[in-house]
Amino acid sequence: MAFRPSRSFVWSMLTGVPLLVGLSIGVLSELQNLRKPPLPGEIVFSSPRPASAKISDSSFPAESATSQASSGSIWPVDWLWETWDRMLTWEKNPWKIEPKGFGAHFLELMGSTSPEEQARAKELTRLADGLYQQMLARYPELAVPLRSVPDERNGFLKLLELAERHNPSGQADQSPSLPPGLSDLLKNTSWDAAATREMLLKEKSLLDEIRRIGLMPERSIADIEIWRWGFTHARFYKSCADLLLADARLAAEEGRPEDTLESLRAANGIASHLGEIETPSLLAATVQTLIRNQTQRQSFANIMPAISTGGIDVAAWESTLFPPSEVSGSLAQIIKGEWNVTARQFLTPMLMDTADPLYPPDPVALLDAHASFFLKLLQDHEGIPIAQWQSVPVGHQIPGQHLSYRSRQLTDALMPGLNAWRKGWERAQHQQGLFRAAFSIMKGDPIPPDPVFGKNYRWDPNARTLSLPDSPEFESMTVDQLVIPAH
């Protein structure tokens, strides 16, 4: 059957194509001449910011109630960029594509398989350090002192080197993986002690290395290039911890309680290397929480029950499953970490990339908006109990009506899912409280209340089950009850 274009299709071609062509020929060529990007080193702040300045809602220009669009923007060129992007994504445009925003050029360099382009991305990251240092001086509240740890004692560095050796692509943004046999073992949902023993013996040298790294007590990001560690390889690091948990369970079943505790300490050490560095990102802190929770839950569900009655040293198990933290572990520490990682890995290198055709006209305002948002988030949560977090609003976007269209696109892309993460962090505190209460029962001490809302847990001494409080605050939480093993 011959193709017969509809009337709407013909009309879209007659009206859309000339506009598309006109924009591409007449407008885009002019856009490049409206603002030349600064040279590296030319991004400077014309006015100081007092270190004691308190960020408030009034610190940000008022946002439009209906749109982030630039009908009232101080950047007249914005409407051209937005019109162009809308045309590219128009549903009746037969060549519909997703427009690229500022920063996409740098990300393409980072993900390129070309050695030259990868080298250029790393050079931009190196050049960006001066701008990053400017930001630390301008926002000292977001700065974090670095530790001095020799390379041979740096557990984080050794964990990073392990991941790099198991990354077949050699690219920082590609995921490393364990040998296929170990990966298959961890995917198996049913426990097979014989198969586990055989595989762990086959990969004994790797298991020993992972355990040795996990038991290292020191960690630091000092003098490690951000492009090597800024992205957390969550699946690989969790697999390393899961491998140690499998070894701990096998050791418990074979009557080796000291080896069991050692592997559990190493699994928690992997978590510490991710979340106890000086500037942990939201992703790294999330992986830390997942590993800690999995270690504790597996201990109660499968590992402790495998140890014969009377063989559990409660104090040793409690100290193993709740290792001391080197940093505060608070939300404030993670907010600082997220800003530092994002600013070093993405924002400042992107602003060094003056070859980006979509370079924004307001790099200084962009840097200030990004840092001010995180500082306000930090100040809003300082000293606030978790139970009162709901009264502290977290915006879905970094306020930026004063920013250019291209800068707003990037701040939206760099905006973490803070509301969802904050809920996850709160849930993790409930889980930790439940596990700590379980040890109080095992020691014969009074059962402490939930650490967030102060409600009493539900304890069934006959079934030996411990559950979250029976209270409206916990109705939507999916936290499984614990079965407390006899000892």
Side-chain angles (χ1 to χ4, degrees):
M1 179 182 294
F3 170 67
R4 297 183 62 186
S6 65
R7 184 174 301 175
S8 62
F9 180 82
V10 172
W11 177 249
S12 71
M13 292 300 97
L14 290 175
T15 58
V17 172
L19 179 57
L20 187 67
V21 173
L23 280 170
S24 62
I25 296 176
V27 174
L28 290 184
S29 60
E30 192 63 28
L31 285 175
Q32 309 305 321
N33 298 321
L34 291 174
R35 169 64 159 78
K36 293 295 185 182
L39 296 173
E42 287 185 352
I43 301 177
V44 294
F45 298 91
S46 58
S47 58
R49 174 192 166 267
S52 60
K54 174 76 174 178
I55 304 294
S56 64
D57 290 328
S58 61
S59 302
F60 301 105
E63 299 297 306
S64 167
T66 58
S67 173
Q68 283 281 85
S70 61
S71 56
S73 171
I74 64 173
W75 302 99
V77 74
D78 276 3
W79 74 270
L80 296 175
W81 280 126
E82 291 182 86
T83 301
W84 173 251
D85 284 352
R86 289 195 188 105
M87 177 60 68
L88 291 179
T89 58
W90 184 34
E91 63 179 9
K92 294 184 178 180
N93 176 7
W95 302 281
K96 179 180 177 180
I97 61 173
E98 188 65 30
K100 297 178 181 179
F102 167 61
H105 185 260
F106 174 74
L107 295 178
E108 288 173 356
L109 293 175
M110 283 290 294
S112 173
T113 57
S114 164
E116 292 79 10
E117 292 187 338
Q118 284 188 38
R120 177 56 181 163
K122 292 173 184 177
E123 175 64 9
L124 289 171
T125 303
R126 187 191 65 79
L127 291 172
D129 187 64
L131 185 54
Y132 169 67
Q133 295 301 327
Q134 278 195 66
M135 293 303 295
L136 291 178
R138 189 169 176 80
Y139 292 87
E141 303 94 331
L142 296 174
V144 179
L146 301 183
R147 308 181 194 112
S148 177
V149 180
D151 287 354
E152 65 274 12
R153 300 209 312 260
N154 191 338
F156 178 73
L157 176 61
K158 297 305 177 184
L159 185 63
L160 183 62
E161 291 173 346
L162 175 71
E164 290 172 343
R165 291 205 316 272
H166 286 81
N167 184 349
S169 70
Q171 292 179 254
D173 62 342
Q174 298 298 311
S175 297
S177 59
L178 292 174
L182 290 177
S183 298
D184 293 341
L185 173 69
L186 297 176
K187 289 177 184 176
N188 192 352
T189 56
S190 60
W191 174 250
D192 187 331
T196 301
R197 184 181 301 106
E198 179 183 357
M199 186 56 63
L200 293 184
L201 284 173
K202 180 181 177 181
E203 300 290 348
K204 184 178 184 303
S205 61
L206 175 59
L207 175 63
D208 288 346
E209 181 181 9
I210 294 173
R211 186 189 296 107
R212 185 167 57 252
I213 292 172
L215 293 174
M216 297 177 74
E218 297 177 276
R219 56 198 63 89
S220 176
I221 61 168
D223 300 321
I224 306 177
E225 298 91 340
I226 183 66
W227 56 265
R228 292 181 63 189
W229 64 269
F231 179 78
T232 301
H233 298 295
R235 181 175 299 178
F236 178 78
Y237 295 136
K238 186 176 182 303
S239 293
C240 289
D242 288 342
L243 197 61
L244 291 165
L245 295 182
D247 182 66
R249 181 173 179 178
L250 188 64
E253 292 180 352
E254 294 177 348
R256 297 181 283 115
E258 291 302 320
D259 291 342
T260 298
L261 289 175
E262 184 177 64
S263 287
L264 291 175
R265 282 193 291 270
N268 267 330
I270 298 295
S272 295
H273 292 329
L274 300 176
E276 302 294 334
I277 53 175
E278 299 93 332
T279 57
S281 66
L282 288 175
L283 177 57
T286 299
V287 180
Q288 177 194 28
T289 299
L290 288 173
I291 293 175
R292 287 269 167 87
N293 181 260
Q294 181 73 354
T295 300
Q296 293 159 349
R297 189 160 293 281
Q298 281 290 322
S299 294
F300 277 92
N302 298 313
I303 301 176
M304 283 187 194
I307 297 176
S308 59
T309 302
I312 297 177
D313 182 338
V314 177
W317 277 80
E318 186 175 26
S319 64
T320 293
L321 295 181
F322 293 97
S325 297
E326 289 187 19
V327 297
S328 66
S330 67
L331 181 66
Q333 184 73 21
I334 299 167
I335 289 171
K336 289 183 182 181
E338 179 70 13
W339 176 82
N340 277 270
V341 172
T342 304
R344 289 185 67 190
Q345 187 179 20
F346 297 113
L347 184 55
T348 54
M350 288 173 177
L351 288 173
M352 288 295 103
D353 184 17
T354 56
D356 192 324
L358 304 179
Y359 198 98
D362 52 345
V364 170
L366 171 57
L367 288 163
D368 268 333
H370 184 255
S372 295
F373 174 83
F374 277 90
L375 181 54
K376 183 178 187 302
L377 189 67
L378 176 66
Q379 293 172 341
D380 285 351
H381 285 83
E382 281 183 324
I384 303 297
I386 298 178
Q388 298 177 19
W389 277 4
Q390 297 306 315
S391 64
V392 181
V394 176
H396 292 286
Q397 291 177 314
I398 295 175
Q401 187 63 27
H402 62 301
L403 297 178
S404 67
Y405 174 58
R406 291 305 182 195
S407 286
R408 290 200 309 271
Q409 281 185 310
L410 183 59
T411 57
D412 291 349
L414 294 179
M415 180 68 178
L418 288 172
N419 271 324
W421 192 92
R422 197 169 65 170
K423 291 179 181 177
W425 180 257
E426 178 184 326
R427 180 174 179 270
Q429 306 317 302
H430 292 298
Q431 291 173 321
Q432 291 296 297
L434 192 69
F435 288 119
R436 288 188 180 276
F439 274 104
S440 294
I441 293 172
M442 295 176 73
K443 292 184 294 186
D445 295 340
I447 304 175
D450 171 75
V452 178
F453 296 110
K455 305 291 183 178
N456 292 324
Y457 293 109
R458 291 174 289 165
W459 166 236
D460 183 343
N462 295 320
R464 297 192 63 81
T465 56
L466 184 67
S467 307
L468 287 180
D470 184 13
S471 183
E473 296 92 341
F474 302 88
E475 289 178 355
S476 62
M477 292 187 189
T478 55
V479 177
D480 296 333
Q481 67 179 11
L482 287 180
V483 178
I484 312 296
H487 62 286

